[in-house]
Amino acid sequence: MWPYPKVIAHRGGGILAPENTLAGIRAGLEQGFHAVEFDVMLSGDGVPVLMHDDRLGRTVAGVGAISSFKAEELVRMDAGAWFGPQFTGEPVPAFADVAAFCKLHRMWMNVEIKPAPGFDRETGRRVAELAQRLFEPEISARAGGAGAEILPLFSSFSFDALQTAHNVAPEIPRGYLVDSIPRDWQTPLLELGAVALHTNHQNLSPQLAREVKAAGYGLLCYTVNDIQRARELLAWGVDAFCTDRIDLIGAQF
Ligand code: G3P
Ligand code: MG
């Protein structure tokens, strides 16, 4: 049984606000979303921040690798202006600040660990260490029988990052993220002690969805922006999906 919300705001605020910013997460909240996916990468000095691309240029003006900047430099950079003038000055947020915001507003988090190339284990370790500290009360409450939804769900395309996160913070659950489901998909899930498989809906079939569900795993799809397609996937047994169209597909869908 999937203990988390069914519809998840992708990269914070979907199409309504700049991705991976607090403004984005606030936009989701204003639409009634209490579930959010965002991407977490390391600054050059090892601080987890919200970031999708491993280089400046698309959402933050400038050039260079994210790993060549310290956190104090990144959090002063503008991650909003590219999206629209009303978001000018919206900073790159630290994961710790975002986690505090989400906890305050009772938003469930799918924390996608997004290592820059070559930083897989380091990113898994740092993100998991920080999450272990930030969610210490929730981890204790969970051990005492509280519901699963009080903890975030880690996910990653990086097996190594998730494996390291598993070692560092075993109580924080994991979903293995794949673009298309490999033939031996159960092996990495077992090795990671994962609770879910996260996959690109475009490469999913009803048969594969049945297989994953029959094996007892959660099944999450990204990124579903069409109402008919969302209905179809749920009919196949998909538990949850993230969407950019938080304006079109409501949290209660
Ligand atoms: O976590 C699902 C989805 O966000 C994966 O793709 O590139 O949007 O991070 P991406
Ligand atoms: Mg993502």
Side-chain angles (χ1 to χ4, degrees):
M1 176 67 184
W2 180 254
Y4 309 118
K6 184 168 57 181
V7 194
I8 303 158
H10 186 231
R11 300 188 192 177
I15 64 158
L16 295 184
E19 67 184 55
N20 289 312
T21 64
L22 273 171
I25 297 171
R26 221 175 279 118
L29 193 59
E30 280 162 14
Q31 294 288 311
F33 276 76
H34 281 269
V36 63
E37 184 267 359
F38 50 79
D39 307 295
V40 177
M41 190 176 287
L42 293 188
S43 65
D45 53 343
V47 178
V49 300
L50 268 63
M51 186 60 66
H52 183 278
D53 301 1
D54 58 43
R55 303 191 70 82
L56 298 181
R58 184 175 63 87
T59 63
V60 178
V63 288
I66 300 304
S67 61
S68 66
F69 297 96
K70 290 185 173 166
E72 63 182 24
E73 296 172 301
L74 289 171
V75 299
R76 285 202 305 267
M77 292 182 185
D78 188 327
W82 71 278
F83 193 87
Q86 70 275 35
F87 293 106
T88 297
E90 182 66 31
V92 174
F95 169 46
D97 293 337
V98 169
F101 180 91
C102 290
K103 282 213 247 182
L104 181 66
H105 295 285
R106 304 197 174 284
M107 294 184 88
W108 175 73
M109 288 160 261
N110 173 196
V111 177
E112 186 190 335
I113 304 173
K114 198 73 128 179
F119 291 88
D120 297 64
R121 291 199 176 275
E122 175 74 356
T123 309
R125 181 173 71 77
R126 296 270 191 169
V127 174
E129 281 173 353
L130 180 55
Q132 179 86 19
R133 282 205 301 279
L134 297 173
F135 290 92
E136 200 278 324
E138 286 81 6
I139 290 170
S140 299
R142 181 90 180 97
E149 73 290 346
I150 65 170
L151 284 177
L153 177 64
F154 284 148
S155 62
S156 189
F157 289 108
S158 167
F159 178 90
D160 289 349
L162 277 184
Q163 191 179 53
T164 309
H166 184 195
N167 291 337
V168 171
E171 298 91 349
I172 299 181
R174 294 153 303 285
Y176 188 42
L177 189 43
V178 292
D179 180 48
S180 62
I181 299 176
R183 198 185 297 272
D184 68 339
W185 62 269
Q186 291 220 36
T187 305
L189 266 73
L190 283 169
E191 287 174 1
L192 292 168
V195 298
L197 185 62
H198 298 200
T199 192
N200 186 338
H201 77 94
Q202 290 168 327
N203 300 322
L204 186 66
S205 65
Q207 167 63 24
L208 275 167
R210 266 197 302 276
E211 264 182 47
V212 175
K213 290 311 301 170
Y217 291 102
L219 180 57
L220 184 151
C221 283
Y222 70 90
T223 302
V224 184
N225 293 330
D226 176 86
I227 288 178
Q228 288 309 328
R229 180 61 172 163
R231 288 207 181 102
E232 181 175 47
L233 292 165
L234 294 176
W236 290 358
V238 167
D239 294 297
F241 60 89
C242 52
T243 182
D244 294 319
R245 293 304 309 270
I246 64 172
D247 56 326
L248 186 71
I249 302 177
Q252 304 305 327
F253 181 78

